[in-house]
Amino acid sequence: MLQKREKVLFLRTFRGRTLRIVREHYLRPSVPCNSPLCPQPAACRNDGKLLTMDVTHYVIPDWKVVQDYLEILEFPELKGIIFMQTACQAVQHQRGWRQYNKLRSLLKDARRDCILFANEFQQHCYLLRERGESMEKWQTRSIYNAAVWYYHHCQDRMPIVMVTEDEEAIQQYGSETEGVFVISFKVFPAVVCIRNYLDNFWPDLKAAHELWDSILQSRRERENESQESGGKEYPEHLPLEVLEAGIKSGRYIQGILNVNKHRAQMEAFVRLQGASSKDSDLVSDILIHGMKARNRSIHGDVVVVELLPKDEWKGRTAALCENDNEDKASGESSSEPMPTGRVVGILQKNWRDYVVTFPAKEEVQSQGKNAQKILVTPWDYRIPKIRISTQQAEALQDFRVVVRIDSWESTSVYPNGHFVRVLGRIRDLEGEIATILVENSISVVPFSEAQMCEMPVNTPENPWKVSPEEERERKDLRRTHLVFSIDPKGCEDVDDTLSVRTLNNGNLELGVHIADVTHFVAPNSYIDIEARTRATTYYLADRRYDMLPSILSADLCSLLGGVDRYAVSVMWELDEITYEIKKVWYGRTIIRSAYQLFYEAAQELLDGNVSIIEDIPEFKDLDEKSRQAKLEELLWAIGKLTDIARHIRAKRDRCGALELEGVEIHVQLDEKKNIHDLISRQPLEVHEMVAECMILANHWVAKKIWESFPHQALLRQHPPPHQEFFSELRECAKAKGFSIDTRSNKTLADSLGNAKDPSDPVVNRLLRSMATQAMSNALYVSTGSCAEAEFYHYGLALDKYTHFTSPIRRYPDIVVHRLLTAAVSKDKMETEENLFSSKDLEELCRHINNRNRAAQHSQKQSTELFQCMYFKDRDPETEERCISDGVIYSIRTNGVLVFIPRFGIKGAAYLKNKDGLVLSCGPDSRSEWKPGSLQRFQNKITSTTTGGDSLTFHLFDHVTVRISVQTSRCHSDTIRLEIISNKPYMIPNTELSHQSPLLLKSELVKEVTKSVEEAQLAQEVKVNTIQEEYQEYCQTKGRSLYMLLEEIRDLALLDVSNDHGT
């Protein structure tokens, strides 16, 4: 029989008014208890999930415990949890819908041993609130009363532990009812709090203990700071004059904040900058642990840090962690303590446009229809949530949106910002590409009318011609030199060509001829300013955005075959036997490229396969005699260039040049722009040959411009890496019995050369990749801003180096061309007027370095986007291409890092899942998840099940991996790797026959370039609107998907300071 009660609620409106609402409340003699010990299951109507019998006690958390420690209660090891309705409603009303929905999801999850008990509808559990009794006291009393009823309802057969943080409740109820223990996580058995509950009931659940410590510390810091700062969320930043004085005295340290994207809430690092890096005794980055210590600074800000006492230093978290803003892995074990500090001031904010996603529909509705303040989630994990004012939240929830930060006050948990614009729909290709561009601050607006008016004309009606004046001023090579280019098939922006010939004295002449962009781009012209702003051409997986208009990049500055072009040349006279350099000449030239070869054709000719000339247009329509003569001439030139390149490379190797390992993935598209395949780039010897010639030219031009302009030359610097970054490389090599000497680039190169496993070539490839990741960034510098000893290029083992060979796609090369022209010009006064001063050049280098990083990151992110698109359309359970061989290259506390050679993918594979189960392999080597534990060693990790079965994974073990995609609404999708067998993947015969062409280097690239060419051809006949779109933006799309090996080397020198957590 139902009993009627009245329940009084006090609700606050959005305008701040308080309303008193009286509701009818009906009590029942029976409500579902969902316990297998229930004496009357029919009366209780236990038709939902039941608690397990395999527990020693039931746990009933108080309302405050549910609010503050729900993350601990989510651990799957904690079983038999009964959430009272009173506690759930307290979470809903006091913590909002986000945490309430998490609680609801936990209760709905059939894998979790927890239930909801509607105590406020059970007539023996419901208690009226007494006059003068606070809401908090009534809630605790109600939960305790329901716990006592539940204990007796189960006929006293199962002890119940009520966990609370209320000391008065512990004293009042601690020993009131036999069989019902009221405890906190502090003291046991009479009075216990949640910490000592864990100590006594779950002593081995280390992650839960550490998470509790972290939560408690966070609460204490918040309470202390509120008391000290008058309720403020963050301490005030110190005044600028105090910061500057502190930096000067050495008390404070200046640096750039780099947030770890894998643990964005907990870990950030400050890399020393300026005077701090020179004067400090620190040899490593400074750890900034937690948001409070970060003190409102945002990734990329120039901050001032105060070091904490050594006993407060912490270490990097050693566990794998998914990109999760809630940082669930924060309780995992850490590495050795490192210098740790807190931010006391910000010297320079790095705020920019941020791409964000609005909350889902239910979250917006929970804030009310008239809500204006909305928390949006940035696409970049490293950026905190931003509070903006808008009434469009529901309308924009399916879109990527750009916002800007306006302020971040010390009284606010989150920064405040405003809406800027809509980019596109979530998961739409163009919207995701636009997101990548905005996140890297890349502007791809069309070239303006004023800029295009500066461009030369080259039409059938008015063709461009070499001017008589230029013919008089330049050295004409059109009739004296065999000049040709070697580039990816279909390349439009041909920057460079090569030549080699025998001189009358028997010596050789090697020539590198680079497009003369500066002839068409006048200093400080509209197009020069635009090119300087862009700084580089941005290559994405399926398109590129040019630094210069296509009339230059794909036509008049491109050294195409069979047409006259202006060039800037470097030509060396070499000894005919030793190839030693006798003399060098720099100057402006006129060339006509005889052949526009693609890499695979050049490699075939080098290998002696002359039938490839059928694919070379320049050999068509020739009679047999002429064809044979020209073929012999070309074969000699390619062979001689290769011999010279081998000599140059050997010389650099003796000085310590490194062979860097960078994984480049090509996206193969079909005619409808769907992803047909992902293929890792295979190196050819002609790649090395071209690269060595370009490196030689860059080196000699660097020497020349520095000799002429010692204080205002632009060089490419690659500083030596920090030795501590090599620690993982040394440990991994040691696991295979190799010793890596990292004292210099020479010893490192020699060690890597010797670290080869004859039975597994992937080992050396991975070791070189680790060496690459340990490298510092290569940077552009002004010679007036650093000492000569700092010019050294560590990776290439050259005392001076610059970029001269790609002026179509890199602005630094344009600057270098002007410097070289001024150095060799007869009219010094006129040419030197257009050069940058040392100070201006330093500022320009800073800008170019920034844009160069943006180009690297955007290329990487677009490739990852297409990788996810490729695997997203495939069923990982049935699609053969989602199963691949992987190699373990790093061990973490809860999993391993795996490299997949087939696709060039690196990622985490967990050995312990979110349910606390560990990976186990049966007799057939197939994996399954079982209860157990993990034990990590230096070079291996062992998974042991509760049944006693153990499985060990070693460094460089080959395993079979399933590839799938982990989708995210607010962030980019990511590749997910799962080990499904502890044995190497054996390719089925059907797939082997299908993939066999891919196993041959030349055939591989042939297939890819052919597919890309066909896709381009199909695009040309597609709907005209697509063509018009790119014509309007003066951009090119599709063909130039490959880079010179020299650029691959530069891209390999990526900044890994943001990825400490991987």
Side-chain angles (χ1 to χ4, degrees):
M1 182 177 178
L2 300 180
Q3 295 183 7
K4 180 181 176 181
R5 296 283 189 273
E6 287 186 348
K7 192 171 185 179
V8 180
L9 300 175
F10 293 90
L11 302 179
R12 181 167 293 175
T13 69
F14 288 103
R15 295 186 177 181
R17 294 175 55 200
T18 301
L19 298 180
R20 183 178 184 271
I21 297 176
V22 180
R23 289 180 178 170
E24 293 180 343
H25 190 76
Y26 293 90
L27 304 179
R28 299 166 175 81
S30 296
V31 295
C33 68
N34 299 108
S35 171
L37 301 176
C38 177
Q40 300 174 320
C44 286
R45 300 178 181 177
N46 293 327
D47 54 359
K49 70 175 182 178
L50 299 179
L51 294 172
T52 181
M53 289 284 292
D54 187 25
V55 291
T56 59
H57 62 279
Y58 289 153
V59 181
I60 297 180
D62 195 6
W63 63 275
K64 185 68 172 174
V65 171
V66 177
Q67 284 189 5
D68 293 342
Y69 300 104
L70 181 59
E71 290 171 288
I72 293 179
L73 298 174
E74 288 178 337
F75 275 84
E77 289 86 349
L78 273 62
K79 299 180 179 180
I81 303 176
I82 303 170
F83 290 97
M84 294 296 173
Q85 178 190 0
T86 302
C88 295
Q89 289 181 342
V91 171
Q92 179 183 1
H93 295 146
Q94 298 178 35
R95 288 299 171 91
W97 280 91
R98 180 179 296 277
Q99 188 159 349
Y100 180 62
N101 285 336
K102 284 180 62 178
L103 177 56
R104 290 178 61 191
S105 299
L106 183 65
L107 290 165
K108 290 179 181 178
D109 192 342
R111 299 169 298 177
R112 301 304 175 92
D113 190 40
C114 59
I115 57 132
L116 170 67
F117 178 65
N119 65 301
E120 293 192 21
F121 291 101
Q122 215 288 334
Q123 63 185 23
H124 299 294
C125 295
Y126 179 74
L127 296 178
L128 288 171
R129 185 177 170 187
E130 297 175 353
R131 183 179 296 275
E133 186 179 32
S134 67
M135 176 64 74
E136 292 80 7
K137 294 298 181 184
W138 172 77
Q139 289 170 334
T140 299
R141 186 164 64 92
S142 295
I143 292 172
Y144 173 73
N145 185 62
V148 172
W149 180 89
Y150 202 100
Y151 173 68
H152 293 313
H153 175 72
C154 294
Q155 300 179 330
D156 304 350
R157 294 164 59 189
M158 181 67 70
I160 287 180
V161 176
M162 177 180 167
V163 185
T164 182
E165 294 292 283
D166 188 337
E167 294 290 346
E168 292 183 11
I170 293 172
Q171 294 177 5
Q172 183 177 352
Y173 306 125
S175 57
E176 185 172 296
T177 304
E178 184 179 354
V180 179
F181 299 93
V182 180
I183 63 177
S184 69
F185 285 164
K186 297 177 183 174
V187 188
F188 184 83
V191 180
V192 185
C193 76
I194 197 166
R195 174 56 189 268
N196 273 352
Y197 168 74
L198 294 174
D199 287 343
N200 287 275
F201 287 92
W202 302 99
D204 298 325
L205 195 55
K206 186 177 180 182
H209 287 263
E210 293 177 343
L211 179 58
W212 183 86
D213 288 334
S214 178
I215 294 173
L216 183 64
Q217 182 182 0
S218 175
R219 288 178 58 194
R220 286 173 175 170
E221 289 176 354
R222 184 163 62 247
E223 292 168 0
N224 293 337
E225 289 172 1
S226 296
Q227 294 173 359
E228 296 171 3
S229 307
K232 293 182 177 180
E233 295 290 339
Y234 298 96
E236 295 289 348
H237 293 145
L238 298 179
L240 180 60
E241 57 271 18
V242 176
L243 297 176
E244 291 176 343
I247 294 170
K248 189 175 182 179
S249 67
R251 179 181 178 183
Y252 301 139
I253 299 168
Q254 173 184 337
I256 299 176
L257 185 79
N258 285 287
V259 177
N260 180 355
K261 68 178 180 180
H262 300 283
R263 296 177 185 82
Q265 296 294 304
M266 298 304 296
E267 285 187 356
F269 301 87
V270 171
R271 177 152 295 178
L272 307 189
Q273 182 191 54
S276 297
S277 63
K278 298 175 182 177
D279 302 336
S280 174
D281 294 331
L282 296 173
V283 294
S284 69
D285 296 342
I286 299 171
L287 172 65
I288 309 296
H289 186 78
M291 291 296 293
K292 290 296 182 184
R294 213 175 296 174
N295 194 8
R296 295 171 287 150
S297 56
I298 291 177
H299 174 76
D301 285 352
V302 180
V303 297
V304 179
V305 175
E306 179 181 39
L307 279 179
L308 298 176
K310 284 193 175 182
D311 59 355
E312 297 181 31
W313 287 8
K314 300 179 183 294
R316 294 186 177 96
T317 305
L320 297 171
C321 179
E322 295 181 13
N323 287 327
D324 190 339
N325 280 339
E326 296 182 20
D327 234 326
K328 293 181 181 177
S330 59
E332 297 287 351
S333 61
S334 300
S335 58
E336 288 296 317
M338 63 182 296
T340 306
R342 65 185 184 97
V343 174
V344 296
I346 301 175
L347 292 181
Q348 181 179 334
K349 293 183 173 69
N350 191 37
W351 296 353
R352 55 173 174 82
D353 284 359
Y354 298 103
V355 179
V356 303
T357 306
F358 279 78
K361 187 174 183 180
E362 59 271 15
E363 297 180 63
V364 175
Q365 288 178 340
S366 71
Q367 301 180 45
K369 292 184 179 179
N370 298 321
Q372 291 185 342
K373 294 287 187 180
I374 300 291
L375 276 178
V376 294
T377 303
W379 184 83
D380 188 341
Y381 283 97
R382 300 169 298 186
I383 308 302
K385 291 183 179 180
I386 302 169
R387 184 186 292 109
I388 66 170
S389 297
T390 182
Q391 295 181 349
Q392 305 179 62
E394 189 170 341
L396 295 175
Q397 63 181 347
D398 295 327
F399 292 87
R400 301 278 189 221
V401 175
V402 178
V403 302
R404 289 175 186 155
I405 295 176
D406 298 318
S407 64
W408 195 349
E409 303 299 331
S410 60
T411 54
S412 175
V413 177
Y414 301 104
N416 295 306
H418 65 272
F419 168 85
V420 178
R421 68 181 185 274
V422 176
L423 279 184
R425 286 192 175 272
I426 297 172
R427 298 195 179 97
D428 174 71
L429 175 60
E430 294 305 317
E432 296 301 316
I433 290 292
T435 295
I436 291 172
L437 295 176
V438 170
E439 281 296 312
N440 290 284
S441 302
I442 296 173
S443 173
V444 291
V445 296
F447 291 104
S448 69
E449 184 178 350
Q451 293 161 357
M452 297 306 294
C453 285
E454 295 177 342
M455 295 297 94
V457 176
N458 187 27
T459 63
E461 299 79 19
N462 188 14
W464 178 87
K465 296 178 181 179
V466 172
S467 72
E469 181 183 355
E470 292 295 327
E471 278 188 309
R472 291 192 298 269
E473 295 291 330
R474 295 172 179 265
K475 179 178 285 191
D476 194 338
L477 308 181
R478 288 175 288 182
R479 295 172 182 83
T480 57
H481 290 64
L482 174 65
V483 178
F484 57 93
S485 62
I486 306 177
D487 286 289
K489 195 169 187 178
C491 181
E492 295 174 336
D493 53 347
V494 181
D495 288 284
D496 56 88
T497 54
L498 298 168
S499 69
V500 62
R501 64 172 184 161
T502 302
L503 299 175
N504 293 333
N505 61 5
N507 287 337
L508 297 173
E509 182 190 72
L510 169 66
V512 172
H513 316 281
I514 307 301
D516 190 358
V517 173
T518 56
H519 174 81
F520 299 98
V521 179
N524 298 316
S525 61
Y526 289 121
I527 198 62
D528 181 52
I529 294 170
E530 178 65 23
R532 191 186 312 162
T533 302
R534 299 189 181 202
T536 184
T537 291
Y538 299 96
Y539 290 85
L540 304 188
D542 68 329
R543 67 193 73 185
R544 78 175 192 236
Y545 296 99
D546 294 322
M547 183 182 77
L548 296 170
S550 58
I551 182 63
L552 296 183
S553 62
D555 190 1
L556 294 181
C557 288
S558 186
L559 306 182
L560 305 173
V563 293
D564 295 342
R565 289 292 182 261
Y566 296 148
V568 179
S569 301
V570 183
M571 292 188 285
W572 301 266
E573 182 177 336
L574 309 176
D575 184 274
E576 60 177 324
I577 298 174
T578 64
Y579 299 142
E580 292 300 316
I581 296 173
K582 300 292 187 180
K583 62 175 71 172
V584 61
W585 179 90
Y586 310 87
R588 282 179 148 162
T589 56
I590 303 173
I591 66 168
R592 180 183 297 153
S593 178
Y595 303 99
Q596 192 174 342
L597 301 177
F598 53 97
Y599 280 125
E600 295 71 44
Q603 185 65 47
E604 293 287 353
L605 291 173
L606 181 62
D607 294 341
N609 181 13
V610 297
S611 62
I612 192 66
I613 65 172
E614 300 300 329
D615 297 332
I616 301 175
E618 290 85 355
F619 280 96
K620 293 179 180 178
D621 303 325
L622 291 178
D623 60 69
E624 187 61 31
K625 184 177 181 181
S626 300
R627 174 184 289 203
Q628 189 63 33
K630 287 184 174 293
L631 176 60
E632 290 178 2
E633 181 184 38
L634 182 59
L635 287 173
W636 178 86
I638 293 175
K640 187 58 67 175
L641 283 172
T642 305
D643 284 343
I644 294 170
R646 289 169 183 161
H647 171 82
I648 298 170
R649 175 70 204 204
K651 186 176 181 180
R652 288 199 304 111
D653 285 343
R654 290 193 294 271
C655 296
L658 294 168
E659 183 180 338
L660 301 176
E661 177 67 34
V663 178
E664 186 183 7
I665 299 299
H666 296 157
V667 179
Q668 186 176 341
L669 306 175
D670 62 20
E671 64 277 0
K672 295 181 180 179
K673 293 209 68 188
N674 295 319
I675 305 166
H676 179 261
D677 204 354
L678 296 175
I679 297 178
S680 57
R681 184 185 190 277
Q682 300 294 326
L684 305 173
E685 187 174 13
V686 289
H687 290 143
E688 287 278 357
M689 179 262 282
V690 173
E692 284 302 327
C693 292
M694 299 304 115
I695 291 171
L696 184 69
N698 289 331
H699 172 52
W700 279 83
V701 169
K703 293 201 295 184
K704 181 65 177 179
I705 62 174
W706 176 75
E707 289 169 1
S708 301
F709 307 104
H711 301 296
Q712 57 190 117
L714 187 153
L715 298 185
R716 183 77 167 162
Q717 172 203 55
H718 184 207
H722 294 283
Q723 284 298 309
E724 65 268 19
F725 292 167
F726 284 124
S727 57
E728 186 173 12
L729 168 65
R730 287 191 290 260
E731 291 174 7
C732 289
K734 189 177 179 181
K736 274 287 185 180
F738 302 126
S739 176
I740 303 295
D741 187 344
T742 62
R743 290 175 297 174
S744 69
N745 54 357
K746 179 69 168 71
T747 59
L748 176 60
D750 291 343
S751 299
L752 291 172
N754 295 327
K756 293 180 179 178
D757 185 344
S759 62
D760 189 0
V762 177
V763 171
N764 188 261
R765 187 176 173 187
L766 279 170
L767 291 176
R768 291 186 184 277
S769 178
M770 291 179 192
T772 300
Q773 288 193 330
M775 298 292 172
S776 307
N777 255 8
L779 301 169
Y780 295 105
V781 296
S782 167
T783 54
S785 63
C786 54
E788 184 178 353
E790 298 175 19
F791 298 165
Y792 187 71
H793 198 291
Y794 179 88
L796 298 177
L798 294 172
D799 59 342
K800 295 177 184 65
Y801 190 70
T802 192
H803 275 169
F804 158 76
T805 54
S806 296
I808 292 177
R809 57 185 175 86
R810 291 190 305 226
Y811 192 78
D813 301 56
I814 292 179
V815 175
V816 170
H817 274 236
R818 290 175 180 152
L819 286 163
L820 181 62
T821 302
V824 299
S825 174
K826 298 174 183 177
D827 189 351
K828 298 279 186 182
M829 188 71 69
E830 181 180 347
T831 54
E832 290 182 18
E833 287 178 358
N834 298 320
L835 303 182
F836 289 99
S837 67
S838 177
K839 185 176 180 181
D840 291 342
L841 185 59
E842 183 180 358
E843 183 62 32
L844 176 63
C845 288
R846 194 175 296 116
H847 165 71
I848 294 173
N849 289 330
N850 176 275
R851 294 296 80 213
N852 200 37
R853 282 191 294 270
Q856 294 168 354
H857 293 157
S858 61
Q859 186 179 32
K860 180 173 180 285
Q861 289 162 358
S862 70
T863 300
E864 290 170 349
L865 169 65
F866 275 83
Q867 285 176 339
C868 289
M869 291 172 62
Y870 175 74
F871 288 107
K872 198 173 184 180
D873 296 334
R874 287 160 170 78
D875 184 357
E877 299 294 333
T878 60
E879 179 72 41
E880 279 291 345
R881 290 200 175 187
C882 293
I883 310 298
S884 189
D885 186 61
V887 184
I888 295 172
Y889 69 92
S890 186
I891 306 291
R892 300 302 164 94
T893 58
N894 59 340
V896 295
L897 295 180
V898 179
F899 171 61
I900 302 178
R902 166 71 175 88
F903 299 109
I905 292 173
K906 291 181 178 179
Y910 289 84
L911 301 182
K912 189 172 188 178
N913 65 15
K914 291 183 178 181
D915 297 328
L917 303 178
V918 299
L919 194 72
S920 175
C921 288
D924 61 351
S925 300
R926 307 305 291 180
S927 66
E928 53 185 328
W929 296 99
K930 292 183 178 181
S933 61
L934 295 177
Q935 187 173 8
R936 179 198 180 193
F937 303 92
Q938 188 172 16
N939 300 319
K940 63 182 180 178
I941 185 169
T942 299
S943 169
T944 306
T945 66
T946 53
D949 297 330
S950 66
L951 173 66
T952 300
F953 293 96
H954 297 82
L955 279 175
F956 302 111
D957 277 357
H958 284 251
V959 293
T960 301
V961 178
R962 177 184 289 122
I963 307 170
S964 59
V965 176
Q966 183 169 324
T967 60
S968 173
R969 182 174 172 274
C970 299
H971 311 283
S972 60
D973 293 344
T974 54
I975 294 292
R976 184 186 184 92
L977 304 181
E978 179 186 359
I979 296 175
I980 60 173
S981 171
N982 62 339
K983 300 297 183 184
Y985 177 59
M986 303 303 295
I987 301 176
N989 290 333
T990 55
E991 188 178 347
L992 183 62
S993 62
H994 172 71
Q995 287 191 352
S996 58
L998 304 182
L999 302 178
L1000 298 174
K1001 295 180 181 179
S1002 299
E1003 291 298 318
L1004 170 67
V1005 187
K1006 269 188 185 178
E1007 180 176 320
V1008 180
T1009 52
K1010 180 179 179 182
S1011 174
V1012 174
E1013 187 178 44
E1014 290 173 351
Q1016 277 298 115
L1017 188 60
Q1019 273 195 301
E1020 291 173 5
V1021 296
K1022 284 180 69 177
V1023 184
N1024 288 334
T1025 54
I1026 297 179
Q1027 295 178 335
E1028 292 169 1
E1029 172 192 348
Y1030 287 94
Q1031 183 64 34
E1032 174 189 354
Y1033 281 79
C1034 302
Q1035 308 293 345
T1036 56
K1037 188 169 183 174
R1039 285 194 177 181
S1040 295
L1041 300 178
Y1042 316 109
M1043 316 292 286
L1044 289 173
L1045 186 58
E1046 178 195 2
E1047 177 159 340
I1048 297 169
R1049 294 171 186 277
D1050 285 338
L1051 290 179
L1053 300 176
L1054 288 173
D1055 185 0
V1056 297
S1057 59
N1058 300 336
D1059 297 325
H1060 290 280
T1062 54

